Amino acid sequence: MVNSLSPSLRRIVVLGTGGTIAGRAASGGDNIGYTAGQVGVADLLGGIEAPEGLALAAEQVAQLDSKDMEPDVWLQLARRCAFWLAEADVAGVVITHGTDTLEETAFFLQAVLAPGKPVVLTCAMRPASSLSPDGPQNVRDAIAVAATPAARGVTVVCAGAIHSAFDVQKVHTYRQDAFASGDAGPVGYVEEGAVRRVRDWPESPARSKLIEAGEGAAMQWPRVEILTSHAGATGAIVDLLLQERAMGVVAEPVRGLVLAATGNGTVHHALEAAALRAQDAGVPVLRATRCASGRILPRPDDKLRDAGALTPVKARIALMLELIGTAA
């Protein structure tokens, strides 16, 4: 824990998890051949000044490439957020994170924390060793959002835009403005350190009991798989998963399925038939559109539930949390 604190100042706590923002390459001109998660979060704050009346504190929660993110790290991160947010002198939390699974972490945190203070995830598309890294400005902007009076909920700040955890998606493989919010659009923008909000902060009904339950104990995460509907799709994988489940040949049998559906939640007839067999066998199935924008509009004759505006990866998290709640 690194802390630059005066007793009279409120704090912004910056939690590090690794990612490109903490990455290093052998050459300053190499923006893709780097190793993620090499620079500590305290070093990422070097040269970044806290807003007036605030102090910065830093804590390293994890140090990984976000493509390798795991639910256990999500839970650890959520608990550290909950701890700091409960401190009266903490104005908000910033999390440095890799871009690949950032939208999943943001959605998980919003779902389980429902924070009344701001939790702001930020990232970079270029490593810290780059000739022109984008991480420092993103961190500055994220701190500005976390310091904003009345800000709340989980947001993602990248390239000057503030995205809601509900809507944010990574939409580009390389550009520095790699994130978008689909039809909803950004929550706002950071302009020279000032926040210009254009719609409401994200809100959730209540904090999950996951944060308090089983502190220190191993969490049994339900296995939820994502399958994509496409031309020529079959139900073979679904049937194999059901066979595994019936025979008890795997330690973690499938507990739920998310179908990355075409268009308005449509599913290839062969995959749909298999999904209905799974549903009949007691495996919940959720359809989420694979389209980058829009939401599934339900029909009265739908046989499989839909995830509305959630992307397949966020629908998977929602179903995992639903299954945990059912088992609790």
Side-chain angles (χ1 to χ4, degrees):
M1 181 76 187
V2 176
N3 200 341
S4 56
L5 181 63
S6 164
S8 63
L9 298 180
R10 299 188 73 202
R11 290 180 288 175
I12 301 292
V13 179
V14 184
L15 305 179
T17 67
T20 298
I21 193 170
R24 286 199 179 280
S27 165
D30 188 352
N31 290 320
I32 58 173
Y34 58 86
T35 301
Q38 300 299 298
V39 181
V41 65
D43 291 331
L44 293 180
L45 293 179
I48 296 178
E49 296 182 358
E52 186 176 354
L54 292 165
L56 300 179
E59 178 184 345
Q60 197 77 46
V61 176
Q63 188 69 295
L64 48 76
D65 188 322
S66 81
K67 70 179 178 61
D68 298 320
M69 182 59 70
E70 297 289 345
D72 284 342
V73 180
W74 284 342
L75 186 55
Q76 181 186 6
L77 185 59
R79 285 173 172 160
R80 294 313 296 160
C81 286
F83 172 84
W84 288 115
L85 293 172
E87 296 292 300
D89 68 326
V90 171
V93 170
V94 169
I95 300 168
T96 59
H97 198 287
T99 61
D100 285 348
T101 58
L102 183 148
E103 63 204 75
E104 296 174 63
T105 299
F107 181 77
F108 176 85
L109 293 176
Q110 178 65 41
V112 302
L113 289 173
K117 294 179 181 179
V119 175
V120 188
L121 286 84
T122 195
C123 56
M125 290 297 288
R126 293 177 177 176
S129 58
S130 174
L131 292 172
S132 181
D134 53 325
Q137 186 64 57
N138 286 340
V139 171
R140 286 184 177 92
D141 289 348
I143 290 170
V145 174
T148 299
R152 61 188 180 277
V154 180
T155 56
V156 170
V157 170
C158 182
I162 308 166
H163 302 280
S164 164
F166 293 119
D167 307 305
V168 65
Q169 296 183 61
K170 186 175 181 180
V171 296
H172 203 279
T173 60
Y174 183 75
R175 283 195 325 234
Q176 292 178 60
D177 58 337
F179 291 89
S181 290
D183 292 343
V187 169
Y189 303 91
V190 185
E191 299 162 340
E192 295 299 310
V195 171
R196 176 167 63 90
R197 184 169 62 88
V198 296
R199 65 184 182 95
D200 291 341
W201 300 105
E203 291 194 64
S204 295
R207 191 165 91 172
S208 168
K209 294 179 180 178
L210 266 181
I211 303 303
E212 291 83 11
E215 184 77 48
M219 179 70 195
Q220 295 298 313
W221 298 96
R223 180 184 172 192
V224 177
E225 299 285 356
I226 300 175
L227 301 173
T228 302
S229 185
H230 53 82
T234 73
I237 295 177
V238 176
D239 290 333
L240 285 172
L241 291 170
L242 291 177
Q243 187 177 12
E244 282 183 352
R245 178 183 168 93
M247 296 177 65
V249 295
V250 293
E252 297 179 37
V254 68
R255 292 276 310 281
L257 295 174
V258 171
L259 304 182
T262 46
N264 186 40
T266 55
V267 179
H268 188 284
H269 69 88
L271 179 56
E272 182 180 41
L276 289 170
R277 290 194 292 273
Q279 187 167 261
D280 290 342
V283 178
V285 180
L286 201 54
R287 292 174 298 127
T289 182
R290 69 182 209 192
C291 293
S293 296
R295 66 189 306 275
I296 296 177
L297 301 176
R299 300 181 306 180
D301 60 345
D302 285 336
K303 298 177 182 177
L304 298 169
R305 282 192 301 159
D306 71 82
L310 294 182
T311 61
V313 293
K314 291 179 182 178
R316 174 178 174 267
I317 295 168
L319 186 51
M320 288 172 65
L321 293 174
E322 178 183 307
L323 288 167
I324 291 169
T326 301

